[in-house]
């Protein structure tokens, strides 16, 4: 799960990681952000139908409950396989990355995003991946999803921090929760410029955070987000590759 304070670069890094990993794995990217819209565009594909719709809509999710959600989604051989979902629920990027989306809050008074967090948790807890498959989850801003225990279903958390104390503070909270829940934890510092790189690393160390990777500020990433087009990256792509190597994923 890719987590962290709002705007730190979770979605951008999720897309770049998914692309790099797609050389080695069959990659699924799960959009569990109930607000933001543009992840499909960043990935270069169209929006899939939300998984919540597969279950009859957001209002039904709590009523159905975990057992029936699993029943509705699991395959005959057991467990939930993202590749077995009907194709309208999985968009494909040009590299073959499968994009799933949990659901979006769109209407005044429709209620909170808790059912989506619950669905994400149930989905992850009951995933059965085939050899060579990997799932990345791009989460919503902040760490509200910890309260619903969404991380329980994951193997680990990659905290994305930008050059702010606030984002490091949230990363520390994520780390402590991962330790308590016996999950892997990694930290990436993103949007880093040469003049602040050392300062930021020292701050992280003082807060008890080990840095797994550093991704530089990259104008190409920034520009493609401005245009809402397919995400492009320059030298930062190599930083993301190093990050994945340090996570033993490449
Ligand atoms: N390495 C980078 N260099 C330059 N700009 C970056 C970098 N990473 C992300 N950005 C920019 O930061 C902004 C936020 O990025 P992104 O949407 O990926 O963050 P996020 O954490 O997913 O945000 P949210 O919390 O809203 O989901 C965008 O304008 C993006 O282009
Ligand atoms: Mg995002």
């Amino acid at each position: 799960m890719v987590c962290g304070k709002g705007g730190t670069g979770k979605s951008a890094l999720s897309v770049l990681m998914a692309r790099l990993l797609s050389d080695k794995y069959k990659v699924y990217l799960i959009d569990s952000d109930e607000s933001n819209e543009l992840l499909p565009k960043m990935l270069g594909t169209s929006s899939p139908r939300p998984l919540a719709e597969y279950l009859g809509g957001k209002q039904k999710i709590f009523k159905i409950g975990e057992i029936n959600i699993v029943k509705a989604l699991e395959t005959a051989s057991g467990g939930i396989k993202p590749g077995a979902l009907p194709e309208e629920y999985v968009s494909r990027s040009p590299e073959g990355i499968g994009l799933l989306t949990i659901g979006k809050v769109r209407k005044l008074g429709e209620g909170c995003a808790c059912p989506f967090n619950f669905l994400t948790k149930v989905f992850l807890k009951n995933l059965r991946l085939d050899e060579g498959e990997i799932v990345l989850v791009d989460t919503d801003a902040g760490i509200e999803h910890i309260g619903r225990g969404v991380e329980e279903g994951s193997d680990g958390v990659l905290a994305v921090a930008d050059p702010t104390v606030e984002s490091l503070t949230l990363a520390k909270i994520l780390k402590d929760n991962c330790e308590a829940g016996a999950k892997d934890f990694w930290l990436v510092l993103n949007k880093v410029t040469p003049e602040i790189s050392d300062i930021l690393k020292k701050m992280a160390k003082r807060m008890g955070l080990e840095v797994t990777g550093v991704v530089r500020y990259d104008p190409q990433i920034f520009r493609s987000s401005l245009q809402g087009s397919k995400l492009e990256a320059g030298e930062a792509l190599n930083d993301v590759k190093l990050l994945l190597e340090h996570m033993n994923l490449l």
Side-chain angles (χ1 to χ4, degrees):
M1 284 183 70
V2 185
C3 305
K5 191 180 93 66
T8 51
K10 298 176 291 296
S11 300
L13 295 191
S14 295
V15 167
L16 297 178
M17 288 192 292
R19 279 188 200 152
L20 289 165
L21 288 169
S22 68
D23 283 340
K24 187 173 168 190
Y25 299 92
K26 187 162 190 184
V27 184
Y28 291 97
L29 178 56
I30 301 185
D31 179 4
S32 76
D33 185 320
E34 71 282 348
S35 303
N36 290 347
E37 190 72 44
L38 289 187
L39 191 64
K41 286 220 169 78
M42 289 165 93
L43 205 58
T45 185
S46 54
S47 300
R49 284 187 72 182
L51 203 59
E53 276 182 20
Y54 189 81
L55 299 162
K58 182 179 160 196
Q59 311 306 336
K60 295 254 172 77
I61 290 169
F62 280 137
K63 283 187 201 138
I64 300 173
E66 176 158 359
I67 292 172
N68 290 313
I69 291 175
V70 176
K71 264 192 202 156
L73 290 171
E74 73 184 347
T75 60
S77 55
I80 300 171
K81 291 178 180 269
L85 286 165
E87 61 182 28
E88 63 266 37
Y89 294 92
V90 187
S91 298
R92 294 275 165 197
S93 81
E95 304 85 0
I97 301 159
L99 173 70
L100 286 79
T101 188
I102 301 295
K104 304 284 173 190
V105 174
R106 286 292 173 259
K107 294 207 176 91
L108 183 72
E110 71 162 76
C112 67
C114 294
F116 295 145
N117 278 331
F118 178 64
L119 175 55
T120 307
K121 176 175 155 180
V122 172
F123 187 85
L124 295 178
K125 267 173 69 184
N126 293 282
L127 264 183
R128 294 286 174 278
L129 297 181
D130 289 333
E131 191 66 32
E133 288 185 329
I134 190 165
V135 170
L136 304 180
V137 186
D138 177 25
T139 63
D140 46 323
I143 54 171
E144 194 262 349
H145 41 81
I146 281 187
R148 177 104 8 228
V150 179
E151 281 76 1
E152 271 174 41
S154 77
D155 296 317
V157 166
L158 171 67
V160 183
D162 63 4
T164 61
V165 190
E166 191 74 85
S167 70
L168 288 174
T169 306
L170 287 197
K172 180 69 167 69
I173 295 169
L174 286 164
K175 179 182 186 237
D176 293 345
N177 276 282
C178 284
E179 271 169 16
K183 303 282 177 200
D184 283 331
F185 175 82
W186 307 273
L187 169 65
V188 58
L189 306 176
N190 187 31
K191 307 192 211 181
V192 178
T193 51
E195 62 279 12
I196 52 142
S197 182
D198 283 344
I199 303 171
L200 202 57
K201 282 184 203 159
K202 276 187 197 143
M203 281 172 70
K205 197 172 175 194
R206 268 205 306 274
M207 292 170 79
L209 289 162
E210 195 183 320
V211 177
T212 319
V214 178
V215 178
R216 76 194 74 190
Y217 179 87
D218 185 330
Q220 287 196 50
I221 298 182
F222 193 72
R223 208 173 311 122
S224 43
S225 298
L226 174 66
Q227 289 160 345
S229 52
K230 187 175 170 186
L231 190 76
E232 281 172 34
E235 290 181 282
L237 193 64
N238 203 44
D239 301 335
V240 178
K241 193 165 171 254
L242 287 175
L243 166 72
L244 291 169
E245 283 171 8
H246 288 147
M247 293 169 79
N248 293 323
L249 290 173
L250 275 185

